[in-house]
Amino acid sequence: MNKEVKYIFVDLDGTLIRTDLFLESILKLIKQKPLYIFQIFFWLLQGRQLAKAKVANLVEINVESLPYTTELVDYLKVQKKQGKRLILATASNQTFANTVAKYLGIFDQVIASDSTNNLKGTNKLASIQSIVGSDDFIYAGDSLADRPIWQKAYSNIFVDAPIKDIEKARRNGKAEKIITHTQSTGIAFIKAMRIHQWVKNLLVFVPLFTSHSYYEPATAFSALIAFFCFSICASGGYFLNDMLDLEADRSHSTKRFRPLAAGTLPLSIGIASAIILPLLSFILAWLLLPLSFFIILIFYYIAINAYSFIIKQVSTADVMTLAILYTTRIVAGSVAIGVALSSWLLSFSIFIFVSLAYLKRYIELYSLSEATNHSVNKAIGRGYSVSDQETMFTLGIANITASVLVLSLYINSEEVISLYQSPQLLWILCFLILYWGNRVWVGARRGKIADDPIVFAIKDRVSQLVGLGFLIVVLSAKYFQI
């Protein structure tokens, strides 16, 4: 290991960067032009190298925001100063490889795939040997495809590589450097599912609660299945959303830590999850719940995909869509247990969810303005600019106030008198909603809510107490006479 070796060859995908540029470019192309998905399949049938070249000609990758393996980059900079010749050797297309090399400014040469040659495995080894001749070289890689190159290299650099290859290199004295990241793929997968967001799907229990059918085991079980169907389907949507929003998330102060944006979860797992999780939810709905629920779940899935591809970039339409998606959960809950849905509940839901949707956008714009010191005015991938904050604040307060007005009218309706023994207690709900709504909006205005209002509500002790108070008031009004 003391021998001076002139050449260091560095793999790109999974090694120098913690992502796959081919998959990223496909996702970006599909987001821009969804119908290209069929063309991509046609190109793949003609060869992976051709598909890489075709996609690279249609898409530009923002190399500045890519999740680089900083420990490896720092190591390479030191080796560069010591006179080593650094060569980027990758199966990614030449166009992308050249752009990355130019941005980093440390590589002396680039060898990559073109429209006729996929520079992977033995093909990459042949190219390396044509450059070094009889000289020794060091190779940095990450996967099984790099195994033939590691075997021929004088020494190896491993980045999250298979344990078997690392141990073999150690035994043979060929382990030049080992870089591993502590977060496991399993933990990253669970994080990407955003299980904490499943709290939104508790809305499917609202009809069960408002119809006072929770004491019936079969009905409660149906509501529980509906909850899991929406939760699993939503997680599949989160995977898709995160993959389509990679560049935007990497420019965000907190979203850049999401597993797919940060590169802690492979895009291949993200793609598989975006397909398998919704499919699993559809199967459960088809087998265990009414056909009408299955149709609503399909509508929900289509809507969240339309939101991810198009609607989220359109101001106002994105907020209304989010409100519809929230309300859809309530409608689905009523269908799952077979109870009629109150028009009062629908009206109340629409107003309060429009307010929460505006709150979500307001928080994003506040974070953007604070992180960039107002140097960036427009949110990436959104139809809003920082100057829209005041409008959102006004609309958010107005809509949550309207929801309280609807609730107050409901309390005075004949329907309430027949359902509750002490309907006058329900007036307390108006104060609870006004208090909580105004509190979160003032908190957002002061920058005290970091990202998602739902996450804030889960962690916030006052919000938890308000939710508990809401439950106590409704049950007291139902079962106790004053």
Side-chain angles (χ1 to χ4, degrees), residues 277-322:
L277 291 178
L279 184 61
L280 178 60
S281 72
F282 297 151
I283 293 173
L284 285 174
W286 178 264
L287 294 176
L288 301 175
L289 294 172
L291 176 61
S292 51
F293 177 87
F294 175 80
I295 293 172
I296 292 174
L297 187 63
I298 293 290
F299 165 79
Y300 171 80
Y301 183 67
I302 293 172
I304 61 176
N305 285 332
Y307 174 80
S308 296
F309 278 95
I310 301 171
I311 300 174
K312 72 190 307 181
Q313 303 174 47
V314 182
S315 64
T316 307
D318 65 327
V319 170
M320 297 304 164
T321 302
L322 285 174

mmCIF file of all heavy atoms in Angstrom, residues 277-322:
data_model
loop_
_atom_site.group_PDB
_atom_site.id
_atom_site.type_symbol
_atom_site.label_atom_id
_atom_site.label_comp_id
_atom_site.label_asym_id
_atom_site.label_seq_id
_atom_site.Cartn_x
_atom_site.Cartn_y
_atom_site.Cartn_z
ATOM 1 N N LEU A 277 -46.884 0.151 -3.270
ATOM 2 C CA LEU A 277 -47.724 0.570 -2.144
ATOM 3 C C LEU A 277 -49.152 0.932 -2.577
ATOM 4 O O LEU A 277 -50.117 0.454 -1.964
ATOM 5 C CB LEU A 277 -47.061 1.732 -1.403
ATOM 6 C CG LEU A 277 -45.784 1.381 -0.630
ATOM 7 C CD1 LEU A 277 -45.192 2.625 0.023
ATOM 8 C CD2 LEU A 277 -46.063 0.320 0.431
ATOM 9 N N PRO A 278 -49.332 1.757 -3.619
ATOM 10 C CA PRO A 278 -50.715 2.015 -4.058
ATOM 11 C C PRO A 278 -51.426 0.753 -4.529
ATOM 12 O O PRO A 278 -52.624 0.576 -4.261
ATOM 13 C CB PRO A 278 -50.537 3.011 -5.212
ATOM 14 C CG PRO A 278 -49.231 3.672 -4.948
ATOM 15 C CD PRO A 278 -48.375 2.590 -4.360
ATOM 16 N N LEU A 279 -50.703 -0.125 -5.228
ATOM 17 C CA LEU A 279 -51.304 -1.369 -5.705
ATOM 18 C C LEU A 279 -51.799 -2.213 -4.538
ATOM 19 O O LEU A 279 -52.901 -2.791 -4.583
ATOM 20 C CB LEU A 279 -50.278 -2.151 -6.531
ATOM 21 C CG LEU A 279 -50.762 -3.441 -7.192
ATOM 22 C CD1 LEU A 279 -51.896 -3.140 -8.165
ATOM 23 C CD2 LEU A 279 -49.615 -4.153 -7.915
ATOM 24 N N LEU A 280 -51.017 -2.266 -3.470
ATOM 25 C CA LEU A 280 -51.416 -3.005 -2.274
ATOM 26 C C LEU A 280 -52.673 -2.401 -1.659
ATOM 27 O O LEU A 280 -53.587 -3.132 -1.232
ATOM 28 C CB LEU A 280 -50.276 -2.995 -1.254
ATOM 29 C CG LEU A 280 -50.538 -3.696 0.081
ATOM 30 C CD1 LEU A 280 -50.866 -5.163 -0.129
ATOM 31 C CD2 LEU A 280 -49.331 -3.549 1.008
ATOM 32 N N SER A 281 -52.745 -1.077 -1.628
ATOM 33 C CA SER A 281 -53.938 -0.424 -1.061
ATOM 34 C C SER A 281 -55.173 -0.718 -1.907
ATOM 35 O O SER A 281 -56.272 -0.924 -1.371
ATOM 36 C CB SER A 281 -53.710 1.084 -0.950
ATOM 37 O OG SER A 281 -53.720 1.714 -2.214
ATOM 38 N N PHE A 282 -55.014 -0.762 -3.227
ATOM 39 C CA PHE A 282 -56.150 -1.061 -4.112
ATOM 40 C C PHE A 282 -56.661 -2.488 -3.874
ATOM 41 O O PHE A 282 -57.871 -2.734 -3.864
ATOM 42 C CB PHE A 282 -55.755 -0.896 -5.579
ATOM 43 C CG PHE A 282 -55.353 0.503 -5.949
ATOM 44 C CD1 PHE A 282 -54.449 0.727 -6.977
ATOM 45 C CD2 PHE A 282 -55.856 1.597 -5.256
ATOM 46 C CE1 PHE A 282 -54.070 2.009 -7.322
ATOM 47 C CE2 PHE A 282 -55.481 2.891 -5.596
ATOM 48 C CZ PHE A 282 -54.587 3.093 -6.631
ATOM 49 N N ILE A 283 -55.734 -3.411 -3.685
ATOM 50 C CA ILE A 283 -56.118 -4.815 -3.453
ATOM 51 C C ILE A 283 -56.906 -4.946 -2.157
ATOM 52 O O ILE A 283 -57.941 -5.622 -2.096
ATOM 53 C CB ILE A 283 -54.859 -5.709 -3.431
ATOM 54 C CG1 ILE A 283 -54.205 -5.748 -4.821
ATOM 55 C CG2 ILE A 283 -55.215 -7.122 -2.970
ATOM 56 C CD1 ILE A 283 -52.876 -6.462 -4.865
ATOM 57 N N LEU A 284 -56.430 -4.289 -1.092
ATOM 58 C CA LEU A 284 -57.135 -4.331 0.193
ATOM 59 C C LEU A 284 -58.531 -3.741 0.060
ATOM 60 O O LEU A 284 -59.511 -4.294 0.579
ATOM 61 C CB LEU A 284 -56.338 -3.558 1.252
ATOM 62 C CG LEU A 284 -55.089 -4.234 1.815
ATOM 63 C CD1 LEU A 284 -54.346 -3.283 2.737
ATOM 64 C CD2 LEU A 284 -55.461 -5.509 2.559
ATOM 65 N N ALA A 285 -58.629 -2.599 -0.626
ATOM 66 C CA ALA A 285 -59.928 -1.938 -0.798
ATOM 67 C C ALA A 285 -60.890 -2.814 -1.596
ATOM 68 O O ALA A 285 -62.079 -2.922 -1.276
ATOM 69 C CB ALA A 285 -59.738 -0.589 -1.486
ATOM 70 N N TRP A 286 -60.377 -3.449 -2.650
ATOM 71 C CA TRP A 286 -61.205 -4.292 -3.512
ATOM 72 C C TRP A 286 -61.746 -5.509 -2.757
ATOM 73 O O TRP A 286 -62.901 -5.899 -2.923
ATOM 74 C CB TRP A 286 -60.391 -4.729 -4.720
ATOM 75 C CG TRP A 286 -61.140 -5.638 -5.659
ATOM 76 C CD1 TRP A 286 -61.100 -7.000 -5.685
ATOM 77 C CD2 TRP A 286 -62.053 -5.246 -6.689
ATOM 78 N NE1 TRP A 286 -61.908 -7.487 -6.677
ATOM 79 C CE2 TRP A 286 -62.514 -6.424 -7.316
ATOM 80 C CE3 TRP A 286 -62.507 -4.013 -7.156
ATOM 81 C CZ2 TRP A 286 -63.407 -6.410 -8.372
ATOM 82 C CZ3 TRP A 286 -63.406 -3.997 -8.212
ATOM 83 C CH2 TRP A 286 -63.845 -5.179 -8.805
ATOM 84 N N LEU A 287 -60.903 -6.081 -1.896
ATOM 85 C CA LEU A 287 -61.279 -7.314 -1.210
ATOM 86 C C LEU A 287 -62.135 -7.086 0.024
ATOM 87 O O LEU A 287 -62.990 -7.917 0.357
ATOM 88 C CB LEU A 287 -60.013 -8.087 -0.812
ATOM 89 C CG LEU A 287 -59.143 -8.643 -1.947
ATOM 90 C CD1 LEU A 287 -57.883 -9.288 -1.377
ATOM 91 C CD2 LEU A 287 -59.927 -9.641 -2.787
ATOM 92 N N LEU A 288 -61.926 -5.971 0.729
ATOM 93 C CA LEU A 288 -62.517 -5.824 2.057
ATOM 94 C C LEU A 288 -63.539 -4.700 2.206
ATOM 95 O O LEU A 288 -64.244 -4.644 3.217
ATOM 96 C CB LEU A 288 -61.396 -5.615 3.093
ATOM 97 C CG LEU A 288 -60.352 -6.725 3.198
ATOM 98 C CD1 LEU A 288 -59.250 -6.331 4.160
ATOM 99 C CD2 LEU A 288 -61.008 -8.030 3.638
ATOM 100 N N LEU A 289 -63.636 -3.810 1.230
ATOM 101 C CA LEU A 289 -64.506 -2.645 1.383
ATOM 102 C C LEU A 289 -65.451 -2.509 0.189
ATOM 103 O O LEU A 289 -65.249 -3.158 -0.840
ATOM 104 C CB LEU A 289 -63.661 -1.380 1.556
ATOM 105 C CG LEU A 289 -62.829 -1.316 2.845
ATOM 106 C CD1 LEU A 289 -61.891 -0.121 2.826
ATOM 107 C CD2 LEU A 289 -63.729 -1.266 4.080
ATOM 108 N N PRO A 290 -66.489 -1.671 0.299
ATOM 109 C CA PRO A 290 -67.448 -1.505 -0.809
ATOM 110 C C PRO A 290 -66.776 -1.001 -2.087
ATOM 111 O O PRO A 290 -65.734 -0.337 -2.050
ATOM 112 C CB PRO A 290 -68.425 -0.456 -0.259
ATOM 113 C CG PRO A 290 -68.302 -0.557 1.227
ATOM 114 C CD PRO A 290 -66.883 -0.909 1.495
ATOM 115 N N LEU A 291 -67.416 -1.291 -3.205
ATOM 116 C CA LEU A 291 -66.899 -0.877 -4.503
ATOM 117 C C LEU A 291 -66.790 0.649 -4.590
ATOM 118 O O LEU A 291 -65.848 1.178 -5.176
ATOM 119 C CB LEU A 291 -67.806 -1.395 -5.620
ATOM 120 C CG LEU A 291 -67.451 -0.972 -7.053
ATOM 121 C CD1 LEU A 291 -66.058 -1.481 -7.439
ATOM 122 C CD2 LEU A 291 -68.510 -1.469 -8.036
ATOM 123 N N SER A 292 -67.731 1.351 -3.992
ATOM 124 C CA SER A 292 -67.711 2.818 -4.025
ATOM 125 C C SER A 292 -66.461 3.367 -3.329
ATOM 126 O O SER A 292 -65.900 4.378 -3.759
ATOM 127 C CB SER A 292 -68.969 3.390 -3.377
ATOM 128 O OG SER A 292 -69.172 2.828 -2.100
ATOM 129 N N PHE A 293 -66.019 2.704 -2.257
ATOM 130 C CA PHE A 293 -64.779 3.133 -1.603
ATOM 131 C C PHE A 293 -63.587 2.916 -2.528
ATOM 132 O O PHE A 293 -62.690 3.767 -2.618
ATOM 133 C CB PHE A 293 -64.566 2.362 -0.294
ATOM 134 C CG PHE A 293 -63.267 2.709 0.391
ATOM 135 C CD1 PHE A 293 -63.199 3.768 1.267
ATOM 136 C CD2 PHE A 293 -62.103 1.985 0.120
ATOM 137 C CE1 PHE A 293 -62.004 4.103 1.891
ATOM 138 C CE2 PHE A 293 -60.908 2.317 0.730
ATOM 139 C CZ PHE A 293 -60.851 3.386 1.626
ATOM 140 N N PHE A 294 -63.568 1.775 -3.208
ATOM 141 C CA PHE A 294 -62.489 1.474 -4.150
ATOM 142 C C PHE A 294 -62.410 2.555 -5.224
ATOM 143 O O PHE A 294 -61.319 3.020 -5.578
ATOM 144 C CB PHE A 294 -62.734 0.103 -4.781
ATOM 145 C CG PHE A 294 -61.755 -0.271 -5.862
ATOM 146 C CD1 PHE A 294 -60.493 -0.753 -5.555
ATOM 147 C CD2 PHE A 294 -62.098 -0.133 -7.204
ATOM 148 C CE1 PHE A 294 -59.591 -1.095 -6.553
ATOM 149 C CE2 PHE A 294 -61.217 -0.460 -8.207
ATOM 150 C CZ PHE A 294 -59.950 -0.944 -7.884
ATOM 151 N N ILE A 295 -63.554 2.989 -5.736
ATOM 152 C CA ILE A 295 -63.585 4.025 -6.783
ATOM 153 C C ILE A 295 -63.058 5.353 -6.235
ATOM 154 O O ILE A 295 -62.291 6.051 -6.899
ATOM 155 C CB ILE A 295 -65.026 4.181 -7.316
ATOM 156 C CG1 ILE A 295 -65.449 2.912 -8.059
ATOM 157 C CG2 ILE A 295 -65.122 5.394 -8.244
ATOM 158 C CD1 ILE A 295 -66.914 2.891 -8.464
ATOM 159 N N ILE A 296 -63.450 5.684 -4.994
ATOM 160 C CA ILE A 296 -62.967 6.923 -4.381
ATOM 161 C C ILE A 296 -61.455 6.867 -4.175
ATOM 162 O O ILE A 296 -60.743 7.856 -4.378
ATOM 163 C CB ILE A 296 -63.690 7.177 -3.046
ATOM 164 C CG1 ILE A 296 -65.150 7.505 -3.303
ATOM 165 C CG2 ILE A 296 -63.028 8.305 -2.266
ATOM 166 C CD1 ILE A 296 -65.984 7.634 -2.045
ATOM 167 N N LEU A 297 -60.941 5.702 -3.768
ATOM 168 C CA LEU A 297 -59.498 5.547 -3.567
ATOM 169 C C LEU A 297 -58.741 5.718 -4.879
ATOM 170 O O LEU A 297 -57.674 6.346 -4.922
ATOM 171 C CB LEU A 297 -59.200 4.177 -2.952
ATOM 172 C CG LEU A 297 -57.746 3.920 -2.528
ATOM 173 C CD1 LEU A 297 -57.341 4.883 -1.418
ATOM 174 C CD2 LEU A 297 -57.567 2.484 -2.065
ATOM 175 N N ILE A 298 -59.299 5.181 -5.965
ATOM 176 C CA ILE A 298 -58.693 5.370 -7.284
ATOM 177 C C ILE A 298 -58.685 6.851 -7.650
ATOM 178 O O ILE A 298 -57.687 7.386 -8.147
ATOM 179 C CB ILE A 298 -59.456 4.569 -8.356
ATOM 180 C CG1 ILE A 298 -59.299 3.059 -8.125
ATOM 181 C CG2 ILE A 298 -58.976 4.948 -9.754
ATOM 182 C CD1 ILE A 298 -57.927 2.512 -8.387
ATOM 183 N N PHE A 299 -59.814 7.529 -7.405
ATOM 184 C CA PHE A 299 -59.883 8.975 -7.660
ATOM 185 C C PHE A 299 -58.825 9.716 -6.861
ATOM 186 O O PHE A 299 -58.147 10.616 -7.372
ATOM 187 C CB PHE A 299 -61.270 9.503 -7.295
ATOM 188 C CG PHE A 299 -61.325 11.009 -7.171
ATOM 189 C CD1 PHE A 299 -61.400 11.815 -8.296
ATOM 190 C CD2 PHE A 299 -61.280 11.605 -5.908
ATOM 191 C CE1 PHE A 299 -61.417 13.202 -8.179
ATOM 192 C CE2 PHE A 299 -61.305 12.984 -5.778
ATOM 193 C CZ PHE A 299 -61.364 13.791 -6.918
ATOM 194 N N TYR A 300 -58.680 9.354 -5.592
ATOM 195 C CA TYR A 300 -57.693 9.991 -4.720
ATOM 196 C C TYR A 300 -56.284 9.813 -5.282
ATOM 197 O O TYR A 300 -55.498 10.768 -5.331
ATOM 198 C CB TYR A 300 -57.786 9.381 -3.322
ATOM 199 C CG TYR A 300 -56.680 9.798 -2.383
ATOM 200 C CD1 TYR A 300 -56.715 11.034 -1.739
ATOM 201 C CD2 TYR A 300 -55.606 8.952 -2.133
ATOM 202 C CE1 TYR A 300 -55.695 11.411 -0.877
ATOM 203 C CE2 TYR A 300 -54.584 9.318 -1.274
ATOM 204 C CZ TYR A 300 -54.635 10.549 -0.643
ATOM 205 O OH TYR A 300 -53.615 10.918 0.197
ATOM 206 N N TYR A 301 -55.984 8.604 -5.734
ATOM 207 C CA TYR A 301 -54.650 8.339 -6.268
ATOM 208 C C TYR A 301 -54.400 9.133 -7.550
ATOM 209 O O TYR A 301 -53.312 9.690 -7.744
ATOM 210 C CB TYR A 301 -54.483 6.839 -6.538
ATOM 211 C CG TYR A 301 -53.105 6.469 -7.023
ATOM 212 C CD1 TYR A 301 -52.004 6.595 -6.187
ATOM 213 C CD2 TYR A 301 -52.900 6.006 -8.319
ATOM 214 C CE1 TYR A 301 -50.726 6.265 -6.623
ATOM 215 C CE2 TYR A 301 -51.634 5.663 -8.757
ATOM 216 C CZ TYR A 301 -50.552 5.801 -7.906
ATOM 217 O OH TYR A 301 -49.300 5.484 -8.344
ATOM 218 N N ILE A 302 -55.395 9.192 -8.418
ATOM 219 C CA ILE A 302 -55.259 9.983 -9.646
ATOM 220 C C ILE A 302 -55.064 11.457 -9.297
ATOM 221 O O ILE A 302 -54.232 12.155 -9.892
ATOM 222 C CB ILE A 302 -56.490 9.798 -10.551
ATOM 223 C CG1 ILE A 302 -56.543 8.358 -11.082
ATOM 224 C CG2 ILE A 302 -56.467 10.786 -11.716
ATOM 225 C CD1 ILE A 302 -57.822 8.031 -11.834
ATOM 226 N N ALA A 303 -55.806 11.925 -8.297
ATOM 227 C CA ALA A 303 -55.731 13.332 -7.902
ATOM 228 C C ALA A 303 -54.365 13.691 -7.323
ATOM 229 O O ALA A 303 -53.814 14.756 -7.640
ATOM 230 C CB ALA A 303 -56.827 13.647 -6.888
ATOM 231 N N ILE A 304 -53.799 12.801 -6.480
ATOM 232 C CA ILE A 304 -52.500 13.137 -5.899
ATOM 233 C C ILE A 304 -51.398 13.101 -6.965
ATOM 234 O O ILE A 304 -50.427 13.855 -6.888
ATOM 235 C CB ILE A 304 -52.134 12.210 -4.707
ATOM 236 C CG1 ILE A 304 -52.050 10.739 -5.136
ATOM 237 C CG2 ILE A 304 -53.092 12.398 -3.564
ATOM 238 C CD1 ILE A 304 -51.588 9.813 -4.018
ATOM 239 N N ASN A 305 -51.562 12.246 -7.978
ATOM 240 C CA ASN A 305 -50.594 12.227 -9.071
ATOM 241 C C ASN A 305 -50.730 13.470 -9.944
ATOM 242 O O ASN A 305 -49.727 14.059 -10.358
ATOM 243 C CB ASN A 305 -50.773 10.974 -9.924
ATOM 244 C CG ASN A 305 -50.228 9.730 -9.242
ATOM 245 O OD1 ASN A 305 -49.308 9.815 -8.442
ATOM 246 N ND2 ASN A 305 -50.802 8.588 -9.532
ATOM 247 N N ALA A 306 -51.969 13.873 -10.211
ATOM 248 C CA ALA A 306 -52.179 15.107 -10.970
ATOM 249 C C ALA A 306 -51.612 16.293 -10.209
ATOM 250 O O ALA A 306 -51.020 17.206 -10.801
ATOM 251 C CB ALA A 306 -53.673 15.307 -11.228
ATOM 252 N N TYR A 307 -51.772 16.252 -8.905
ATOM 253 C CA TYR A 307 -51.202 17.312 -8.059
ATOM 254 C C TYR A 307 -49.677 17.326 -8.166
ATOM 255 O O TYR A 307 -49.067 18.388 -8.317
ATOM 256 C CB TYR A 307 -51.637 17.095 -6.613
ATOM 257 C CG TYR A 307 -50.995 18.032 -5.624
ATOM 258 C CD1 TYR A 307 -51.472 19.329 -5.457
ATOM 259 C CD2 TYR A 307 -49.906 17.621 -4.858
ATOM 260 C CE1 TYR A 307 -50.872 20.185 -4.553
ATOM 261 C CE2 TYR A 307 -49.310 18.472 -3.951
ATOM 262 C CZ TYR A 307 -49.795 19.754 -3.794
ATOM 263 O OH TYR A 307 -49.194 20.604 -2.906
ATOM 264 N N SER A 308 -49.060 16.153 -8.092
ATOM 265 C CA SER A 308 -47.598 16.061 -8.131
ATOM 266 C C SER A 308 -47.029 16.499 -9.478
ATOM 267 O O SER A 308 -46.003 17.174 -9.540
ATOM 268 C CB SER A 308 -47.147 14.632 -7.824
ATOM 269 O OG SER A 308 -47.510 14.261 -6.515
ATOM 270 N N PHE A 309 -47.706 16.119 -10.559
ATOM 271 C CA PHE A 309 -47.188 16.422 -11.892
ATOM 272 C C PHE A 309 -47.467 17.859 -12.331
ATOM 273 O O PHE A 309 -46.607 18.514 -12.909
ATOM 274 C CB PHE A 309 -47.800 15.459 -12.928
ATOM 275 C CG PHE A 309 -47.112 14.137 -13.001
ATOM 276 C CD1 PHE A 309 -47.576 13.054 -12.280
ATOM 277 C CD2 PHE A 309 -45.986 13.968 -13.791
ATOM 278 C CE1 PHE A 309 -46.944 11.816 -12.343
ATOM 279 C CE2 PHE A 309 -45.345 12.746 -13.864
ATOM 280 C CZ PHE A 309 -45.820 11.665 -13.139
ATOM 281 N N ILE A 310 -48.669 18.348 -12.052
ATOM 282 C CA ILE A 310 -49.092 19.610 -12.664
ATOM 283 C C ILE A 310 -49.620 20.625 -11.656
ATOM 284 O O ILE A 310 -49.116 21.747 -11.549
ATOM 285 C CB ILE A 310 -50.187 19.349 -13.724
ATOM 286 C CG1 ILE A 310 -49.675 18.401 -14.818
ATOM 287 C CG2 ILE A 310 -50.655 20.665 -14.355
ATOM 288 C CD1 ILE A 310 -50.762 17.926 -15.769
ATOM 289 N N ILE A 311 -50.640 20.228 -10.881
ATOM 290 C CA ILE A 311 -51.433 21.195 -10.130
ATOM 291 C C ILE A 311 -50.630 21.941 -9.078
ATOM 292 O O ILE A 311 -50.879 23.123 -8.822
ATOM 293 C CB ILE A 311 -52.644 20.488 -9.489
ATOM 294 C CG1 ILE A 311 -53.522 19.860 -10.574
ATOM 295 C CG2 ILE A 311 -53.477 21.456 -8.664
ATOM 296 C CD1 ILE A 311 -54.665 19.023 -10.041
ATOM 297 N N LYS A 312 -49.648 21.286 -8.457
ATOM 298 C CA LYS A 312 -48.900 21.938 -7.393
ATOM 299 C C LYS A 312 -48.126 23.159 -7.883
ATOM 300 O O LYS A 312 -47.682 23.986 -7.088
ATOM 301 C CB LYS A 312 -47.950 20.936 -6.734
ATOM 302 C CG LYS A 312 -46.756 20.546 -7.578
ATOM 303 C CD LYS A 312 -45.986 19.384 -6.996
ATOM 304 C CE LYS A 312 -45.591 19.580 -5.590
ATOM 305 N NZ LYS A 312 -44.822 18.449 -5.046
ATOM 306 N N GLN A 313 -47.958 23.288 -9.178
ATOM 307 C CA GLN A 313 -47.244 24.431 -9.743
ATOM 308 C C GLN A 313 -48.184 25.593 -10.083
ATOM 309 O O GLN A 313 -47.738 26.645 -10.521
ATOM 310 C CB GLN A 313 -46.504 24.002 -11.007
ATOM 311 C CG GLN A 313 -45.522 22.862 -10.790
ATOM 312 C CD GLN A 313 -44.906 22.360 -12.076
ATOM 313 O OE1 GLN A 313 -44.462 23.135 -12.905
ATOM 314 N NE2 GLN A 313 -44.868 21.046 -12.253
ATOM 315 N N VAL A 314 -49.488 25.385 -9.888
ATOM 316 C CA VAL A 314 -50.491 26.397 -10.264
ATOM 317 C C VAL A 314 -51.070 27.013 -8.999
ATOM 318 O O VAL A 314 -51.681 26.310 -8.186
ATOM 319 C CB VAL A 314 -51.613 25.776 -11.113
ATOM 320 C CG1 VAL A 314 -52.610 26.849 -11.543
ATOM 321 C CG2 VAL A 314 -51.027 25.054 -12.325
ATOM 322 N N SER A 315 -50.891 28.313 -8.829
ATOM 323 C CA SER A 315 -51.376 28.977 -7.631
ATOM 324 C C SER A 315 -52.892 28.872 -7.514
ATOM 325 O O SER A 315 -53.616 28.864 -8.524
ATOM 326 C CB SER A 315 -50.966 30.455 -7.637
ATOM 327 O OG SER A 315 -51.582 31.134 -8.699
ATOM 328 N N THR A 316 -53.367 28.772 -6.296
ATOM 329 C CA THR A 316 -54.782 28.631 -5.929
ATOM 330 C C THR A 316 -55.321 27.239 -6.261
ATOM 331 O O THR A 316 -55.950 26.600 -5.408
ATOM 332 C CB THR A 316 -55.672 29.703 -6.597
ATOM 333 O OG1 THR A 316 -55.131 30.999 -6.306
ATOM 334 C CG2 THR A 316 -57.097 29.633 -6.053
ATOM 335 N N ALA A 317 -55.080 26.762 -7.484
ATOM 336 C CA ALA A 317 -55.538 25.418 -7.849
ATOM 337 C C ALA A 317 -54.894 24.373 -6.947
ATOM 338 O O ALA A 317 -55.536 23.377 -6.576
ATOM 339 C CB ALA A 317 -55.219 25.130 -9.313
ATOM 340 N N ASP A 318 -53.628 24.588 -6.572
ATOM 341 C CA ASP A 318 -52.956 23.627 -5.699
ATOM 342 C C ASP A 318 -53.592 23.602 -4.313
ATOM 343 O O ASP A 318 -53.795 22.536 -3.726
ATOM 344 C CB ASP A 318 -51.460 23.954 -5.605
ATOM 345 C CG ASP A 318 -51.205 25.288 -4.932
ATOM 346 O OD1 ASP A 318 -52.036 26.192 -5.087
ATOM 347 O OD2 ASP A 318 -50.167 25.427 -4.259
ATOM 348 N N VAL A 319 -53.954 24.767 -3.804
ATOM 349 C CA VAL A 319 -54.576 24.851 -2.485
ATOM 350 C C VAL A 319 -55.947 24.176 -2.492
ATOM 351 O O VAL A 319 -56.292 23.418 -1.576
ATOM 352 C CB VAL A 319 -54.692 26.328 -2.051
ATOM 353 C CG1 VAL A 319 -55.564 26.459 -0.803
ATOM 354 C CG2 VAL A 319 -53.314 26.914 -1.803
ATOM 355 N N MET A 320 -56.739 24.461 -3.526
ATOM 356 C CA MET A 320 -58.059 23.857 -3.629
ATOM 357 C C MET A 320 -57.967 22.332 -3.759
ATOM 358 O O MET A 320 -58.778 21.592 -3.204
ATOM 359 C CB MET A 320 -58.820 24.446 -4.823
ATOM 360 C CG MET A 320 -59.088 25.932 -4.699
ATOM 361 S SD MET A 320 -59.990 26.327 -3.177
ATOM 362 C CE MET A 320 -59.726 28.098 -3.070
ATOM 363 N N THR A 321 -56.963 21.866 -4.489
ATOM 364 C CA THR A 321 -56.769 20.423 -4.641
ATOM 365 C C THR A 321 -56.423 19.774 -3.314
ATOM 366 O O THR A 321 -56.930 18.699 -2.974
ATOM 367 C CB THR A 321 -55.670 20.132 -5.676
ATOM 368 O OG1 THR A 321 -56.033 20.720 -6.925
ATOM 369 C CG2 THR A 321 -55.482 18.630 -5.862
ATOM 370 N N LEU A 322 -55.539 20.417 -2.541
ATOM 371 C CA LEU A 322 -55.197 19.890 -1.222
ATOM 372 C C LEU A 322 -56.440 19.801 -0.341
ATOM 373 O O LEU A 322 -56.646 18.809 0.366
ATOM 374 C CB LEU A 322 -54.141 20.779 -0.559
ATOM 375 C CG LEU A 322 -52.707 20.660 -1.087
ATOM 376 C CD1 LEU A 322 -51.806 21.703 -0.434
ATOM 377 C CD2 LEU A 322 -52.154 19.265 -0.836
#
